[in-house]
Amino acid sequence: MKIKQHIFDAHANNKKLFAVLIDPDKVDNASLTGIIERGVAAKVDLFFLGGSLLTKDVLESVAQQIKANCTIPVILFPGNGMQVTAAADAILFLSLISGRNPDLLIGQQVQAAPMVKQSGIEVLSTGYMLIDGGTATTVSYISNTMPIPANKPDIAACTAMAGEMLGMKLIYMDAGSGAKTPITESMIKVVSKNISIPLIIGGGITDAEKAYLNCKAGADIIVVGNAIEKDSSLIAEISAAIHSVPVIA
Ligand code: 1GP
């Protein structure tokens, strides 16, 4: 319960968190070392680890390398039920509640449940919502679901509310990795007003200003992957922006 408590405490105090997403397929030893070092220096709160489509069997070794070199928690962000390793600290146990694909609503979870239990890692029950990011992303293709239209905040709010009512502990709204248009502040505002659990926002965020505005609109955790893969020096400025949002005393 350690990581969930940490996220809930931050949410209660309006302390915004920064999660750097690492796609294990896309890092090598040197680039991962760079991301870890910059992450530690910039006080990154969380590492998310996973991808919609993994083609190399390196999830465990990447998790181990992060754990061996820093104390930043490693949270699995699995693209499917096979992406489980005891080397991580926790897993976003996702149900794709924006879609109507039963395999991603409950099928993959049934298959993954015994492995997750055996691993002993912390389970973070998460309602996962795809929002149209203006381009076909890997996740929209692989999940075979229709994202929520970007101009329909009411649908997003009702979906998030349903997720909370079903007992989920986090809501993750994602425009998909490399989205052309990240989620709008107006949608974040409407959704965050309608739920009381922490809200994770990601997909297509490429600069500190956007991360800051998302936090001001009601995001609790900002996830950035693609932009950092291209330029890991962004970690420092995005982290500073997210952590500059005033905390409730
Ligand atoms: C994707 O939300 C994450 O699932 C992060 O997206 O890679 O575009 O930052 P980016």
Side-chain angles (χ1 to χ4, degrees), residues 21 77 128 172-179 201-205 223-227:
L21 172 62
F77 173 36
Y128 186 52
Y172 188 161
M173 285 212 294
D174 195 347
S177 197
I201 298 290
I205 299 170
V223 186
V224 183
N226 230 35

Side-chain angles (χ1 to χ4, degrees), residues 180-201:
K180 215 188 294 169
T181 41
I183 297 169
T184 61
E185 276 79 39
S186 56
M187 182 179 270
I188 295 170
K189 258 184 210 152
V190 175
V191 171
S192 69
K193 268 202 196 103
N194 279 285
I195 56 172
S196 59
I197 51 178
L199 179 60
I200 308 172
I201 298 290

Side-chain angles (χ1 to χ4, degrees), residues 1-8 17-24 44-51 54 59-60 62-64 66-67 70-79 83-94 116 119 121-126 170 172 198 200 220-224:
M1 299 292 277
K2 239 172 63 196
I3 293 172
K4 190 180 119 214
Q5 200 53 52
H6 176 60
I7 294 172
F8 269 65
L17 303 178
F18 181 28
V20 170
L21 172 62
I22 296 174
D23 182 334
V44 162
D45 300 284
L46 307 163
F47 280 123
F48 282 5
L49 184 62
L54 298 189
L59 182 72
E60 184 163 271
V62 170
Q64 283 166 342
I66 303 170
K67 293 300 299 170
C70 69
T71 57
I72 300 170
V74 176
I75 303 180
L76 298 174
F77 173 36
Q83 293 180 27
V84 179
T85 167
D89 296 294
I91 182 168
L92 296 177
F93 201 71
L94 306 168
V116 171
S119 74
I121 62 176
E122 191 177 338
V123 176
L124 306 169
S125 166
T126 304
L170 303 167
Y172 188 161
I200 308 172
D220 294 289
I221 302 178
I222 298 292
V223 186
V224 183

Side-chain angles (χ1 to χ4, degrees), residues 153-170:
D154 49 343
I155 299 180
C158 295
T159 307
M161 283 160 60
E164 180 173 13
M165 289 173 187
L166 282 165
M168 288 156 183
K169 300 294 182 271
L170 303 167

